[in-house]
Amino acid sequence: MADMKGIHLITNGKLTEKELQDLPFLQHDVDYIHIREKSKTAQEIQTIVSFLLEKGVPKQKLIINDRVDIAAINNCHGVQLAYHSLPVDVVKGTFPELSIGKSVHSLEEAVHAEKAGANFIIYGHIFHSLSKKGLSPQGISRLQEITQSVSIPVVAIGGITPENAQAVLKAGASGIAVMSGVWNAADPLEILKQYQSVFNNGEGGRH
């Protein structure tokens, strides 16, 4: 399984036609694309995946949120499971070829996910985030506690900017997940290049 290093671009749950058309161009500056469209049907998500594959996005860059069936059918890199998703061990037992991520919000959840067989976890939110208004961020110290307590890769999410991304990497995160910081930017490609430069100049580099 991959080490999950680099930039994880997550769709914003309201992927527009223009954003979808832009994804094949943005994919060159990201390591993974997470299709996270909770309000869309399986058929709609399959249409998105088919479009990206037709446009040359490698299937090994694609991670599907929650929909194990779509990830497996398309031989995608993996699936990202949430609290309401199928259990990690069930998915791993049936689809051992998939890289299984689990979204966690505490040390206890992180340790449990690893024991259940998750290949990586997404932990957050680290900083104040537009998508988590009113909720206190976890912070760098808790992130470091997580990365030191599990042996699987930790991808950090929530309010991560090119300016604070270095601190996230120093805390032991393998990757950073970005969403609103890219989709709300006037120039998403320029922002991604700024994130990319952090990995090129920072801890451990990119794979």
Side-chain angles (χ1 to χ4, degrees), residues 151-202:
S151 58
I152 55 177
V154 177
V155 178
I157 191 172
I160 301 172
T161 66
E163 291 72 30
N164 61 31
Q166 189 62 55
V168 171
L169 297 183
K170 285 184 177 179
S174 296
I176 58 171
V178 295
M179 190 164 55
S180 56
V182 171
W183 298 120
N184 294 348
D187 188 345
L189 188 58
E190 174 57 32
I191 288 292
L192 282 175
K193 289 188 181 300
Q194 291 178 26
Y195 281 111
Q196 187 187 53
S197 69
V198 176
F199 280 92
N200 290 340
N201 303 321

Side-chain angles (χ1 to χ4, degrees), residues 20 44 63 65 95 152 172 184 204:
L20 179 59
E44 289 170 328
I63 295 174
N65 186 273
F95 301 100
I152 55 177
N184 294 348

Side-chain angles (χ1 to χ4, degrees), residues 76-90:
C76 293
H77 179 83
V79 62
Q80 182 66 28
L81 303 176
Y83 69 92
H84 55 75
S85 301
L86 292 168
V88 169
D89 55 349
V90 171

Side-chain angles (χ1 to χ4, degrees), residues 25-75:
F25 299 100
L26 298 179
Q27 65 106 353
H28 299 292
D29 286 293
V30 301
D31 296 87
Y32 299 96
I33 296 173
H34 294 241
I35 306 301
R36 183 178 181 271
E37 298 294 313
K38 296 180 181 180
S39 65
K40 288 184 171 60
T41 65
Q43 190 174 43
E44 289 170 328
I45 296 173
Q46 178 59 45
T47 299
I48 291 170
V49 173
S50 296
F51 170 80
L52 295 177
L53 294 176
E54 288 168 8
K55 292 296 181 180
V57 177
K59 61 186 178 183
Q60 282 303 305
K61 276 193 174 186
L62 295 178
I63 295 174
I64 311 300
N65 186 273
D66 189 45
R67 297 304 304 240
V68 181
D69 50 351
I70 296 174
I73 287 168
N74 294 282
N75 295 312

Side-chain angles (χ1 to χ4, degrees), residues 125 127-134 158-160 179-182 184-185:
H125 61 294
F127 304 109
H128 285 288
S129 170
L130 289 174
S131 61
K132 299 289 184 181
K133 286 182 179 178
I160 301 172
M179 190 164 55
S180 56
V182 171
N184 294 348

Side-chain angles (χ1 to χ4, degrees), residues 104-150:
V104 303
H105 302 90
S106 69
L107 176 59
E108 182 182 16
E109 289 180 4
V111 171
H112 182 268
E114 181 176 31
K115 287 182 178 177
N119 299 106
F120 66 98
I121 57 176
I122 293 186
Y123 174 71
H125 61 294
I126 308 303
F127 304 109
H128 285 288
S129 170
L130 289 174
S131 61
K132 299 289 184 181
K133 286 182 179 178
L135 295 177
S136 298
Q138 302 284 3
I140 289 293
S141 60
R142 285 184 182 172
L143 171 62
Q144 189 163 22
E145 182 182 24
I146 297 283
T147 62
Q148 292 175 347
S149 300
V150 298

